[in-house]
């Protein structure tokens, strides 16, 4: 059962993750990638959001590997460890494909996530990452709301 605090905590992380690229965009302009926020005054937002999302993912068995790569790309900054950071970033986005592929419900998120490649081709890496993040957030929010719906339906049937 999802407790109220857990629901609010997860919802907060999802909303923060959705807002992060837009906050970066409106504050810093279009950067080459979201990770470029490391070199701006919004470094704290980048670190905080990634740490919270990584923690959120680590609680979910099928999302532990993407969680690890997200934490590693956050730990290895762009200015100090450019190549290592980018390898972990690519591995994060690629390993997110696995749980989206293996899911039993809401399989339609996988092709939506893959559309991010078009954003990369036509709009750049920043917008590819943004599309991928929004898709992942929508998926997790959908799963969360679906579980709440099932639990509420189950508890109303047992009365």
């Amino acid at each position: 059962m999802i407790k109220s605090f857990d629901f609010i905590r997860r919802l907060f992380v999802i909303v923060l993750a959705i807002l992060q690229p837009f906050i970066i965009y409106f504050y810093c302009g279009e950067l080459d990638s979201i990770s470029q926020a490391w070199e701006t005054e919004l470094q704290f937002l980048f670190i905080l959001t990634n740490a919270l999302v990584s923690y959120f993912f680590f609680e979910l068995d099928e999302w532990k590997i993407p969680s690890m790569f997200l934490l590693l790309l956050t730990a290895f900054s762009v200015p100090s460890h450019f190549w290592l950071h980018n390898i972990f970033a690519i591995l994060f986005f690629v390993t997110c494909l696995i749980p989206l592929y293996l899911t039993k419900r809401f399989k339609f998120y996988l092709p939506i996530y893959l559309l991010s490649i078009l954003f990369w081709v036509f709009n750049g890496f920043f917008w590819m990452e943004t599309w991928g993040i929004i898709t992942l957030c929508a998926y997790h929010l959908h799963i969360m709301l679906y579980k709440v719906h099932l639990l509420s339906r189950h508890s109303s049937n047992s009365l």
Side-chain angles (χ1 to χ4, degrees):
M1 183 171 138
I2 296 179
K3 297 177 183 153
S4 295
F5 177 74
D6 287 339
F7 181 84
I8 292 167
R9 179 179 54 89
R10 291 174 185 188
L11 185 61
F12 172 77
V13 172
I14 289 169
V15 170
L16 181 62
I18 289 171
L19 291 177
Q20 179 195 16
F22 298 101
I23 293 169
I24 291 169
Y25 178 78
F26 288 116
Y27 188 81
C28 304
E30 188 171 336
L31 304 175
D32 291 336
S33 73
I34 292 171
S35 298
Q36 294 296 312
W38 189 277
E39 299 182 75
T40 72
E41 293 175 6
L42 294 178
Q43 179 187 68
F44 77 94
L45 179 66
F46 176 79
I47 294 169
L48 178 66
T49 304
N50 286 359
L52 289 172
V53 171
S54 184
Y55 177 79
F56 173 72
F57 277 2
F58 199 75
E59 293 178 330
L60 309 170
D61 287 336
E62 58 276 3
W63 290 88
K64 285 187 188 320
I65 293 172
S67 173
M68 179 189 65
F69 287 125
L70 182 60
L71 189 58
L72 286 169
L73 78 86
T74 306
F76 293 94
S77 70
V78 174
S80 303
H81 306 281
F82 179 79
W83 288 106
L84 200 52
H85 172 88
N86 286 338
I87 289 168
F88 290 138
I90 291 166
L91 288 171
F92 167 71
F93 282 104
V94 169
T95 58
C96 285
L97 290 166
I98 297 165
L100 289 175
Y101 176 76
L102 296 175
T103 188
K104 291 178 176 66
R105 301 212 186 299
F106 313 123
K107 286 195 172 282
F108 60 88
Y109 281 100
L110 178 61
I112 295 170
Y113 183 75
L114 288 170
L115 284 174
S116 64
I117 296 167
L118 294 176
F119 281 85
W120 176 47
V121 172
F122 296 109
N123 298 98
F125 204 70
F126 181 90
W127 294 111
M128 181 198 84
E129 293 172 312
T130 300
W131 182 265
I133 289 166
I134 291 170
T135 304
L136 293 174
C137 289
Y139 169 78
H140 285 282
L141 181 60
H142 198 167
I143 292 287
M144 209 170 71
L145 294 174
Y146 180 72
K147 285 181 180 179
V148 167
H149 171 73
L150 288 179
L151 290 171
S152 68
R153 199 173 85 188
H154 175 70
S155 64
S156 67
N157 286 341
S158 64
L159 294 177

